[in-house]
Amino acid sequence: MKPAWEDLGTAFEGSSSVLIGDVDCTTETEVAKEYDVSGYPTIKYFSGETDPKGDTYSGGRDLDSLKKFVEDTLERKCDPAEPTSCSEKEQKFIAKMTEKGEAAQVAELARLEGMKDKKMKAEQKSFLFARLHILKTLTSPKEEL
């Protein structure tokens, strides 16, 4: 299962809404206890709708099954053209960057691209990728009808 999990992490490494991680609960026993993990491997997922200790995933352990579950259940795409699909924080960022104009958007995109590989908390990294997604959408050439 480890190769499928690593491939899943690679597939979503640039996601603005999904973070794939792992914990070795055979050595991190306090974490295992805190999140009610007693059998291995255990897959837990977290969202605004899950228990604070996460919900246990019980689907297939191959890459295709894992990826489908993440895409169908966890992944959320913010579309700047439809701000209601975005979080409040993302909506504020869209409004701010739209007001600033394209030159500021391009500059901010370059600045954030330079931060992608830096170490930061999961929430910060998630919002970094959310902002990158928004800016790439705002600065991409618009198709003429």
Side-chain angles (χ1 to χ4, degrees), residues 81-129:
E82 291 290 330
T84 56
S85 69
C86 307
S87 71
E88 186 176 324
K89 196 173 182 180
E90 290 166 329
Q91 289 176 20
K92 287 179 181 176
F93 182 74
I94 292 166
K96 174 181 153 187
M97 294 311 297
T98 301
E99 187 177 301
K100 287 189 173 193
E102 189 172 357
Q105 293 167 9
V106 170
E108 182 69 354
L109 181 60
R111 185 183 80 80
L112 294 176
E113 283 285 352
M115 295 172 62
K116 282 194 319 191
D117 296 325
K118 295 190 176 176
K119 189 172 180 152
M120 60 187 79
K121 292 180 181 176
E123 312 86 55
Q124 293 170 320
K125 189 148 230 157
S126 177
F127 189 52
L128 170 76
F129 281 106

Short mmCIF file of all heavy atoms in Angstrom, two decimals, residues 81-129:
data_model
loop_
_atom_site.label_atom_id
_atom_site.label_comp_id
_atom_site.label_asym_id
_atom_site.label_seq_id
_atom_site.Cartn_x
_atom_site.Cartn_y
_atom_site.Cartn_z
N ALA A 81 -14.41 32.69 -10.91
CA ALA A 81 -15.57 33.17 -11.68
C ALA A 81 -16.88 32.87 -10.95
O ALA A 81 -17.90 33.49 -11.22
CB ALA A 81 -15.58 32.53 -13.07
N GLU A 82 -16.85 31.90 -10.04
CA GLU A 82 -18.00 31.52 -9.22
C GLU A 82 -17.57 31.55 -7.75
O GLU A 82 -17.35 30.51 -7.14
CB GLU A 82 -18.48 30.11 -9.59
CG GLU A 82 -19.10 30.01 -10.95
CD GLU A 82 -20.46 30.70 -11.02
OE1 GLU A 82 -21.16 30.76 -9.99
OE2 GLU A 82 -20.80 31.18 -12.10
N PRO A 83 -17.43 32.72 -7.16
CA PRO A 83 -16.89 32.83 -5.81
C PRO A 83 -17.63 32.02 -4.74
O PRO A 83 -17.07 31.70 -3.71
CB PRO A 83 -16.95 34.33 -5.50
CG PRO A 83 -16.98 34.98 -6.83
CD PRO A 83 -17.70 34.03 -7.74
N THR A 84 -18.89 31.67 -4.99
CA THR A 84 -19.62 30.87 -4.00
C THR A 84 -19.01 29.48 -3.83
O THR A 84 -19.27 28.82 -2.84
CB THR A 84 -21.12 30.74 -4.37
OG1 THR A 84 -21.22 30.19 -5.68
CG2 THR A 84 -21.81 32.09 -4.31
N SER A 85 -18.18 29.06 -4.80
CA SER A 85 -17.49 27.77 -4.68
C SER A 85 -16.25 27.87 -3.80
O SER A 85 -15.57 26.88 -3.56
CB SER A 85 -17.09 27.25 -6.07
OG SER A 85 -16.06 28.05 -6.63
N CYS A 86 -15.96 29.07 -3.32
CA CYS A 86 -14.73 29.34 -2.57
C CYS A 86 -15.04 29.62 -1.10
O CYS A 86 -16.14 30.05 -0.76
CB CYS A 86 -14.02 30.56 -3.16
SG CYS A 86 -13.71 30.43 -4.94
N SER A 87 -14.03 29.39 -0.27
CA SER A 87 -14.17 29.72 1.15
C SER A 87 -14.21 31.24 1.32
O SER A 87 -13.85 31.99 0.41
CB SER A 87 -12.99 29.15 1.95
OG SER A 87 -11.81 29.87 1.64
N GLU A 88 -14.60 31.69 2.49
CA GLU A 88 -14.65 33.14 2.77
C GLU A 88 -13.26 33.75 2.61
O GLU A 88 -13.10 34.84 2.05
CB GLU A 88 -15.18 33.37 4.19
CG GLU A 88 -15.40 34.82 4.52
CD GLU A 88 -16.00 35.01 5.90
OE1 GLU A 88 -16.83 34.19 6.32
OE2 GLU A 88 -15.61 36.00 6.56
N LYS A 89 -12.25 33.04 3.10
CA LYS A 89 -10.87 33.52 3.00
C LYS A 89 -10.45 33.66 1.53
O LYS A 89 -9.82 34.64 1.14
CB LYS A 89 -9.97 32.54 3.75
CG LYS A 89 -8.60 33.02 4.10
CD LYS A 89 -7.93 31.98 4.99
CE LYS A 89 -6.57 32.39 5.43
NZ LYS A 89 -5.91 31.40 6.27
N GLU A 90 -10.81 32.66 0.72
CA GLU A 90 -10.48 32.70 -0.71
C GLU A 90 -11.24 33.84 -1.40
O GLU A 90 -10.69 34.53 -2.26
CB GLU A 90 -10.82 31.36 -1.37
CG GLU A 90 -9.90 30.24 -0.94
CD GLU A 90 -10.41 28.86 -1.32
OE1 GLU A 90 -11.64 28.65 -1.36
OE2 GLU A 90 -9.57 27.98 -1.57
N GLN A 91 -12.51 34.05 -1.03
CA GLN A 91 -13.30 35.12 -1.61
C GLN A 91 -12.67 36.48 -1.33
O GLN A 91 -12.61 37.34 -2.21
CB GLN A 91 -14.74 35.09 -1.08
CG GLN A 91 -15.54 33.92 -1.61
CD GLN A 91 -16.94 33.84 -1.00
OE1 GLN A 91 -17.45 34.81 -0.47
NE2 GLN A 91 -17.54 32.66 -1.08
N LYS A 92 -12.18 36.67 -0.11
CA LYS A 92 -11.51 37.94 0.24
C LYS A 92 -10.25 38.12 -0.60
O LYS A 92 -9.95 39.22 -1.06
CB LYS A 92 -11.18 37.97 1.73
CG LYS A 92 -12.39 38.17 2.60
CD LYS A 92 -12.01 38.17 4.07
CE LYS A 92 -13.23 38.35 4.94
NZ LYS A 92 -12.93 38.27 6.37
N PHE A 93 -9.50 37.04 -0.78
CA PHE A 93 -8.27 37.11 -1.59
C PHE A 93 -8.61 37.44 -3.04
O PHE A 93 -7.94 38.26 -3.68
CB PHE A 93 -7.49 35.79 -1.48
CG PHE A 93 -6.20 35.82 -2.23
CD1 PHE A 93 -5.11 36.53 -1.76
CD2 PHE A 93 -6.06 35.12 -3.43
CE1 PHE A 93 -3.90 36.56 -2.46
CE2 PHE A 93 -4.87 35.14 -4.13
CZ PHE A 93 -3.79 35.86 -3.65
N ILE A 94 -9.66 36.82 -3.58
CA ILE A 94 -10.08 37.10 -4.97
C ILE A 94 -10.44 38.57 -5.12
O ILE A 94 -10.00 39.23 -6.06
CB ILE A 94 -11.27 36.20 -5.37
CG1 ILE A 94 -10.83 34.74 -5.47
CG2 ILE A 94 -11.88 36.66 -6.70
CD1 ILE A 94 -11.97 33.75 -5.53
N ALA A 95 -11.23 39.09 -4.19
CA ALA A 95 -11.65 40.49 -4.26
C ALA A 95 -10.43 41.42 -4.20
O ALA A 95 -10.32 42.37 -4.99
CB ALA A 95 -12.62 40.80 -3.13
N LYS A 96 -9.53 41.14 -3.28
CA LYS A 96 -8.33 41.97 -3.11
C LYS A 96 -7.48 41.97 -4.37
O LYS A 96 -7.05 43.02 -4.85
CB LYS A 96 -7.54 41.44 -1.90
CG LYS A 96 -6.20 42.09 -1.68
CD LYS A 96 -5.52 41.44 -0.48
CE LYS A 96 -4.03 41.52 -0.57
NZ LYS A 96 -3.37 40.76 0.50
N MET A 97 -7.23 40.77 -4.92
CA MET A 97 -6.35 40.68 -6.09
C MET A 97 -7.03 41.18 -7.36
O MET A 97 -6.37 41.73 -8.23
CB MET A 97 -5.84 39.24 -6.26
CG MET A 97 -4.92 38.78 -5.14
SD MET A 97 -3.57 39.93 -4.69
CE MET A 97 -2.62 40.00 -6.19
N THR A 98 -8.33 41.03 -7.47
CA THR A 98 -9.06 41.55 -8.62
C THR A 98 -8.97 43.07 -8.63
O THR A 98 -8.74 43.69 -9.68
CB THR A 98 -10.53 41.08 -8.60
OG1 THR A 98 -10.55 39.65 -8.61
CG2 THR A 98 -11.30 41.61 -9.79
N GLU A 99 -9.11 43.65 -7.46
CA GLU A 99 -9.03 45.11 -7.33
C GLU A 99 -7.64 45.64 -7.69
O GLU A 99 -7.50 46.70 -8.29
CB GLU A 99 -9.39 45.49 -5.89
CG GLU A 99 -9.51 46.98 -5.66
CD GLU A 99 -9.94 47.29 -4.23
OE1 GLU A 99 -11.00 46.82 -3.82
OE2 GLU A 99 -9.16 47.99 -3.54
N LYS A 100 -6.61 44.88 -7.36
CA LYS A 100 -5.23 45.32 -7.60
C LYS A 100 -4.83 45.28 -9.07
O LYS A 100 -3.91 45.98 -9.48
CB LYS A 100 -4.25 44.49 -6.77
CG LYS A 100 -4.30 44.82 -5.30
CD LYS A 100 -3.19 44.13 -4.57
CE LYS A 100 -3.14 44.61 -3.13
NZ LYS A 100 -1.92 44.22 -2.46
N GLY A 101 -5.46 44.40 -9.85
CA GLY A 101 -5.15 44.34 -11.27
C GLY A 101 -4.13 43.29 -11.65
O GLY A 101 -3.50 42.66 -10.80
N GLU A 102 -3.96 43.12 -12.96
CA GLU A 102 -3.15 42.04 -13.49
C GLU A 102 -1.67 42.11 -13.12
O GLU A 102 -1.05 41.10 -12.82
CB GLU A 102 -3.30 41.94 -15.01
CG GLU A 102 -2.65 40.68 -15.56
CD GLU A 102 -2.94 40.45 -17.03
OE1 GLU A 102 -3.70 41.22 -17.64
OE2 GLU A 102 -2.38 39.47 -17.55
N ALA A 103 -1.07 43.29 -13.13
CA ALA A 103 0.36 43.41 -12.80
C ALA A 103 0.62 42.93 -11.37
O ALA A 103 1.59 42.19 -11.13
CB ALA A 103 0.83 44.84 -12.98
N ALA A 104 -0.22 43.31 -10.45
CA ALA A 104 -0.08 42.87 -9.06
C ALA A 104 -0.33 41.37 -8.93
O ALA A 104 0.33 40.69 -8.14
CB ALA A 104 -1.02 43.65 -8.15
N GLN A 105 -1.26 40.86 -9.71
CA GLN A 105 -1.55 39.42 -9.69
C GLN A 105 -0.35 38.61 -10.16
O GLN A 105 0.02 37.61 -9.54
CB GLN A 105 -2.78 39.12 -10.57
CG GLN A 105 -4.06 39.70 -10.04
CD GLN A 105 -5.19 39.66 -11.06
OE1 GLN A 105 -5.08 39.05 -12.12
NE2 GLN A 105 -6.29 40.34 -10.74
N VAL A 106 0.27 39.06 -11.24
CA VAL A 106 1.46 38.37 -11.78
C VAL A 106 2.60 38.43 -10.77
O VAL A 106 3.30 37.43 -10.54
CB VAL A 106 1.86 38.98 -13.14
CG1 VAL A 106 3.22 38.46 -13.60
CG2 VAL A 106 0.79 38.68 -14.19
N ALA A 107 2.80 39.57 -10.14
CA ALA A 107 3.86 39.72 -9.13
C ALA A 107 3.60 38.82 -7.93
O ALA A 107 4.52 38.16 -7.43
CB ALA A 107 3.98 41.18 -8.69
N GLU A 108 2.37 38.77 -7.47
CA GLU A 108 2.02 37.93 -6.33
C GLU A 108 2.16 36.45 -6.68
O GLU A 108 2.62 35.65 -5.87
CB GLU A 108 0.60 38.24 -5.85
CG GLU A 108 0.15 37.44 -4.64
CD GLU A 108 0.86 37.79 -3.34
OE1 GLU A 108 1.81 38.61 -3.33
OE2 GLU A 108 0.46 37.24 -2.30
N LEU A 109 1.80 36.09 -7.89
CA LEU A 109 1.96 34.71 -8.35
C LEU A 109 3.43 34.30 -8.30
O LEU A 109 3.77 33.23 -7.79
CB LEU A 109 1.40 34.57 -9.77
CG LEU A 109 1.46 33.19 -10.41
CD1 LEU A 109 0.68 32.17 -9.61
CD2 LEU A 109 0.91 33.25 -11.84
N ALA A 110 4.31 35.15 -8.79
CA ALA A 110 5.75 34.87 -8.76
C ALA A 110 6.25 34.74 -7.32
O ALA A 110 7.03 33.84 -7.00
CB ALA A 110 6.52 35.95 -9.51
N ARG A 111 5.80 35.63 -6.45
CA ARG A 111 6.21 35.59 -5.05
C ARG A 111 5.78 34.28 -4.39
O ARG A 111 6.57 33.61 -3.72
CB ARG A 111 5.61 36.78 -4.29
CG ARG A 111 6.08 36.90 -2.84
CD ARG A 111 5.40 38.05 -2.13
NE ARG A 111 4.07 37.73 -1.68
CZ ARG A 111 3.78 37.04 -0.57
NH1 ARG A 111 4.75 36.59 0.19
NH2 ARG A 111 2.53 36.81 -0.23
N LEU A 112 4.53 33.89 -4.61
CA LEU A 112 4.01 32.67 -3.98
C LEU A 112 4.66 31.42 -4.57
O LEU A 112 4.89 30.44 -3.86
CB LEU A 112 2.49 32.61 -4.12
CG LEU A 112 1.72 33.68 -3.34
CD1 LEU A 112 0.23 33.57 -3.62
CD2 LEU A 112 1.99 33.61 -1.86
N GLU A 113 4.95 31.44 -5.88
CA GLU A 113 5.64 30.29 -6.52
C GLU A 113 6.97 30.04 -5.82
O GLU A 113 7.37 28.90 -5.62
CB GLU A 113 5.86 30.54 -8.01
CG GLU A 113 4.64 30.38 -8.87
CD GLU A 113 4.23 28.94 -9.12
OE1 GLU A 113 4.97 28.00 -8.76
OE2 GLU A 113 3.13 28.75 -9.67
N GLY A 114 7.64 31.10 -5.42
CA GLY A 114 8.92 30.98 -4.73
C GLY A 114 8.81 30.42 -3.32
O GLY A 114 9.80 30.02 -2.73
N MET A 115 7.61 30.39 -2.79
CA MET A 115 7.40 29.90 -1.42
C MET A 115 6.95 28.44 -1.36
O MET A 115 6.91 27.85 -0.29
CB MET A 115 6.33 30.77 -0.73
CG MET A 115 6.74 32.20 -0.53
SD MET A 115 5.39 33.23 0.08
CE MET A 115 5.00 32.46 1.64
N LYS A 116 6.63 27.84 -2.51
CA LYS A 116 6.04 26.50 -2.54
C LYS A 116 6.84 25.44 -1.80
O LYS A 116 6.27 24.57 -1.16
CB LYS A 116 5.84 26.02 -3.98
CG LYS A 116 4.66 26.60 -4.65
CD LYS A 116 4.27 25.91 -5.93
CE LYS A 116 5.38 25.49 -6.83
NZ LYS A 116 4.91 25.07 -8.16
N ASP A 117 8.15 25.50 -1.89
CA ASP A 117 8.98 24.45 -1.32
C ASP A 117 9.46 24.75 0.09
O ASP A 117 10.21 23.97 0.68
CB ASP A 117 10.19 24.17 -2.24
CG ASP A 117 9.75 23.62 -3.58
OD1 ASP A 117 8.76 22.87 -3.62
OD2 ASP A 117 10.39 23.94 -4.59
N LYS A 118 9.03 25.88 0.65
CA LYS A 118 9.44 26.23 2.01
C LYS A 118 8.61 25.47 3.03
O LYS A 118 7.47 25.10 2.78
CB LYS A 118 9.30 27.74 2.23
CG LYS A 118 10.27 28.51 1.35
CD LYS A 118 10.33 29.95 1.71
CE LYS A 118 11.40 30.59 0.82
NZ LYS A 118 11.52 31.97 0.99
N LYS A 119 9.21 25.25 4.19
CA LYS A 119 8.53 24.54 5.25
C LYS A 119 7.52 25.48 5.92
O LYS A 119 7.84 26.63 6.23
CB LYS A 119 9.55 24.05 6.27
CG LYS A 119 8.98 23.12 7.30
CD LYS A 119 10.05 22.50 8.15
CE LYS A 119 9.40 21.59 9.16
NZ LYS A 119 10.22 20.53 9.58
N MET A 120 6.29 24.98 6.11
CA MET A 120 5.25 25.76 6.79
C MET A 120 4.18 24.82 7.31
O MET A 120 4.15 23.65 6.93
CB MET A 120 4.65 26.81 5.84
CG MET A 120 3.99 26.25 4.61
SD MET A 120 3.48 27.50 3.42
CE MET A 120 5.01 27.88 2.60
N LYS A 121 3.32 25.33 8.17
CA LYS A 121 2.23 24.53 8.71
C LYS A 121 1.29 24.11 7.59
O LYS A 121 1.17 24.79 6.57
CB LYS A 121 1.47 25.33 9.77
CG LYS A 121 2.25 25.59 11.02
CD LYS A 121 1.43 26.38 12.01
CE LYS A 121 2.25 26.65 13.26
NZ LYS A 121 1.51 27.49 14.21
N ALA A 122 0.58 23.00 7.81
CA ALA A 122 -0.31 22.45 6.78
C ALA A 122 -1.36 23.46 6.33
O ALA A 122 -1.63 23.58 5.13
CB ALA A 122 -0.98 21.19 7.30
N GLU A 123 -1.95 24.20 7.28
CA GLU A 123 -2.98 25.18 6.91
C GLU A 123 -2.40 26.28 6.04
O GLU A 123 -3.05 26.76 5.10
CB GLU A 123 -3.61 25.85 8.15
CG GLU A 123 -4.03 24.92 9.25
CD GLU A 123 -2.90 24.59 10.22
OE1 GLU A 123 -2.26 25.49 10.81
OE2 GLU A 123 -2.65 23.39 10.39
N GLN A 124 -1.18 26.69 6.36
CA GLN A 124 -0.53 27.74 5.57
C GLN A 124 -0.22 27.24 4.17
O GLN A 124 -0.41 27.95 3.19
CB GLN A 124 0.76 28.21 6.26
CG GLN A 124 0.52 28.93 7.56
CD GLN A 124 1.81 29.15 8.34
OE1 GLN A 124 2.68 28.29 8.40
NE2 GLN A 124 1.92 30.33 8.93
N LYS A 125 0.27 26.01 4.08
CA LYS A 125 0.61 25.44 2.77
C LYS A 125 -0.66 25.28 1.93
O LYS A 125 -0.68 25.57 0.74
CB LYS A 125 1.32 24.10 2.93
CG LYS A 125 1.87 23.58 1.61
CD LYS A 125 3.13 22.80 1.83
CE LYS A 125 4.16 23.30 0.88
NZ LYS A 125 5.49 23.10 1.16
N SER A 126 -1.74 24.85 2.56
CA SER A 126 -3.00 24.68 1.85
C SER A 126 -3.48 26.02 1.28
O SER A 126 -3.89 26.11 0.12
CB SER A 126 -4.05 24.09 2.79
OG SER A 126 -5.28 23.98 2.14
N PHE A 127 -3.41 27.08 2.10
CA PHE A 127 -3.86 28.39 1.61
C PHE A 127 -2.89 28.94 0.57
O PHE A 127 -3.32 29.64 -0.36
CB PHE A 127 -4.07 29.38 2.76
CG PHE A 127 -4.73 30.65 2.34
CD1 PHE A 127 -5.93 30.63 1.62
CD2 PHE A 127 -4.17 31.88 2.62
CE1 PHE A 127 -6.54 31.81 1.20
CE2 PHE A 127 -4.77 33.06 2.20
CZ PHE A 127 -5.97 33.03 1.49
N LEU A 128 -1.62 28.61 0.69
CA LEU A 128 -0.66 29.02 -0.35
C LEU A 128 -1.08 28.43 -1.69
O LEU A 128 -1.16 29.15 -2.69
CB LEU A 128 0.76 28.54 0.02
CG LEU A 128 1.80 28.70 -1.09
CD1 LEU A 128 2.24 30.15 -1.21
CD2 LEU A 128 2.99 27.81 -0.84
N PHE A 129 -1.38 27.13 -1.72
CA PHE A 129 -1.79 26.50 -2.97
C PHE A 129 -3.15 27.00 -3.44
O PHE A 129 -3.40 27.10 -4.65
CB PHE A 129 -1.74 24.97 -2.87
CG PHE A 129 -0.36 24.42 -2.99
CD1 PHE A 129 0.33 23.95 -1.89
CD2 PHE A 129 0.29 24.41 -4.22
CE1 PHE A 129 1.62 23.46 -2.00
CE2 PHE A 129 1.59 23.91 -4.35
CZ PHE A 129 2.25 23.45 -3.24
#
